Amino acid sequence: MKLFGGIDLHSNNAVIALLDEEDTVVYQHRLPNDLSTIVAQLEPFGDSIEGLVVESTYNWYWLVDGLMEAGYRIHLANTAAIVQYSGLKYADDQSDARWLAKLLRLGLLPEGYIYPKAERAVRDLLRKRSQMVHQHTSNLQSIQNLMARNLGHSVSANRLRRMTPEEVDRILPEADLALAVKSNLAVMRTLEDVIVQLEKSVKTRIKLRPEFKPLLTVNGIGEILGLTIMLETGEIDRFAKVGNYASYSRCVGSEHISNGKRKGRGNTKNGNKYLAWAYIEAANFAVRYNAQIKRYYQRKASRTNRIVAIKTVAHKLARACYYILRDQVTFDVNKAFA
């Protein structure tokens, strides 16, 4: 007898359902998030289990790794791409687990990528760096907004980074405003130190693999962004077409079209937000340092706005990087921004 398993994973428990080839429920139970308990419950069915599906939730690492080490064939469900059966009148955790198992049996399961465990920790370290960079930018923008409201003009990011507490007191004689700015500056400088520490740690842990070194020929991509793209992309062969990669990088719009009319937007969060961030960062640097890309950005911004323009640059960089990695070639700005 062949069995197919679905696991509806939550923060502190998991609902497991095993179905046979006729979709008959052979086993169904809610278990605590304890690996030894789950493995023990599955053991009597071990030889019959063709595969187990685990939801790609925020906390899947421990379960997927543990079940794979126990010898099970694991599939990671891409939850954003799964559509629940519309004929159901009632749905709960048990029905969700059964639906995952049924999709596996039918060969219709949208699968996520199980990233290699060996590099997962350093990838998460780079994700922490991106979080710190985002917070640094947020503090910088907060200061700029406060200055603009109270002085009537903006202050450049470079000047703010060099600003001393004494200069803040001179520019903003009102004590409360000065304290607010100095607080943001203190947080910014702490974050800068943390970012440097994270970068040093990452560089000692991992290097760009040879097939990813051509990324460094792309304007706007340095070592850290190159490592980020490498670790978030994984094997480029898992993307059949450039459009798949651009979509995974969140560089493609999401719309539902029927009979030539827009019927709404799809799941705009489907994809890898860290890879999307990396290409936006690369786009900002590319616009700054490459004259041809800057001209393209300016033309686009004049017809739309700066946000759309920078996202368009990011989209083109993501597409260029796909071909660079697939074909092992260097970056050609004339092809990417003709």
Side-chain angles (χ1 to χ4, degrees):
M1 179 173 63
K2 293 182 180 180
L3 298 179
F4 304 85
I7 303 179
D8 188 32
L9 181 61
H10 302 284
S11 61
N12 58 1
N13 68 83
V15 175
I16 301 176
L18 297 177
L19 308 182
D20 64 14
E21 294 176 276
E22 302 298 326
D23 288 338
T24 301
V25 178
V26 175
Y27 173 91
Q28 183 171 276
H29 205 74
R30 185 185 297 272
L31 300 174
N33 281 353
D34 177 74
L35 183 62
S36 60
T37 300
I38 293 173
V39 171
Q41 288 287 306
L42 292 173
E43 188 174 1
F45 310 97
D47 294 337
S48 301
I49 296 176
E50 293 290 304
L52 294 169
V53 182
V54 178
E55 283 189 302
S56 179
T57 53
Y58 74 96
N59 60 333
W60 63 263
Y61 288 3
W62 68 276
L63 183 56
V64 167
D65 293 341
L67 290 175
M68 289 178 71
E69 290 168 4
Y72 293 101
R73 185 180 179 185
I74 303 301
H75 303 264
L76 191 65
N78 179 2
T79 52
I82 291 176
V83 178
Q84 182 61 275
Y85 173 51
S86 60
L88 289 177
K89 291 185 177 180
Y90 177 79
D92 56 12
D93 298 336
Q94 286 75 18
S95 66
D96 288 344
R98 293 194 299 270
W99 183 243
L100 292 173
K102 183 169 183 174
L103 289 174
L104 177 63
R105 181 184 69 79
L106 294 173
L108 299 175
L109 180 72
E111 294 198 39
Y113 180 58
I114 300 178
Y115 199 89
K117 183 179 178 181
E119 293 182 348
R120 207 181 292 152
V122 70
R123 181 191 65 169
D124 287 349
L125 202 59
L126 275 172
R127 288 181 173 185
K128 181 58 63 177
R129 176 193 173 273
S130 72
Q131 180 188 10
M132 299 295 104
V133 171
H134 179 77
Q135 291 178 3
H136 182 276
T137 302
S138 179
N139 276 273
L140 178 63
Q141 291 173 340
S142 179
I143 296 173
Q144 288 178 317
N145 290 339
L146 187 148
M147 292 282 198
R149 285 196 304 270
N150 290 278
L151 300 179
H153 60 83
S154 60
V155 179
S156 71
N158 287 333
R159 185 185 174 193
L160 286 177
R161 291 189 183 98
R162 298 191 302 267
M163 197 170 286
T164 64
E166 293 75 20
E167 188 176 0
V168 173
D169 289 331
R170 187 168 61 254
I171 294 173
L172 295 168
E174 188 172 336
D176 291 338
L177 294 178
L179 179 59
V181 169
K182 286 187 285 188
S183 298
N184 280 124
L185 286 173
V187 173
M188 277 177 53
R189 282 156 190 165
T190 299
L191 288 169
E192 288 166 1
D193 292 339
V194 171
I195 291 167
V196 170
Q197 292 174 15
L198 291 174
E199 290 177 353
K200 286 181 178 179
S201 179
V202 167
K203 289 177 182 179
T204 61
R205 289 282 315 280
I206 196 167
K207 303 295 181 184
L208 271 175
R209 296 195 293 271
E211 63 270 29
F212 284 89
K213 287 187 177 179
L215 286 175
L216 299 180
T217 66
V218 180
N219 297 105
I221 297 180
E223 185 177 3
I224 290 296
L225 280 182
L227 287 170
T228 300
I229 292 170
M230 179 183 79
L231 293 175
E232 297 297 344
T233 297
E235 300 299 326
I236 196 65
D237 292 342
R238 67 192 184 98
F239 301 100
K241 297 179 180 179
V242 65
N244 300 121
Y245 184 65
S247 177
Y248 182 68
S249 304
R250 293 190 179 180
C251 292
V252 177
S254 179
E255 292 182 346
H256 291 164
I257 305 294
S258 178
N259 195 28
K261 298 179 181 179
R262 178 184 290 173
K263 298 296 183 179
R265 296 191 177 275
N267 187 355
T268 57
K269 293 184 177 181
N270 193 8
N272 188 314
K273 67 178 181 180
Y274 302 100
L275 198 53
W277 173 86
Y279 281 120
I280 289 292
E281 284 288 288
N284 279 296
F285 285 120
V287 166
R288 192 181 307 172
Y289 296 115
N290 184 287
Q292 186 171 341
I293 297 176
K294 183 178 182 178
R295 288 194 296 272
Y296 174 89
Y297 164 79
Q298 290 173 334
R299 289 197 303 272
K300 191 70 177 178
S302 67
R303 296 194 296 269
T304 55
N305 57 66
R306 292 183 179 181
I307 294 176
V308 171
I310 206 68
K311 286 184 176 179
T312 304
V313 174
H315 180 205
K316 284 188 170 289
L317 290 179
R319 293 178 65 89
C321 287
Y322 172 84
Y323 290 115
I324 287 169
L325 296 174
R326 190 195 68 176
D327 302 333
Q328 290 295 286
V329 295
T330 57
F331 179 63
D332 187 339
V333 68
N334 293 315
K335 286 184 178 180
F337 293 89

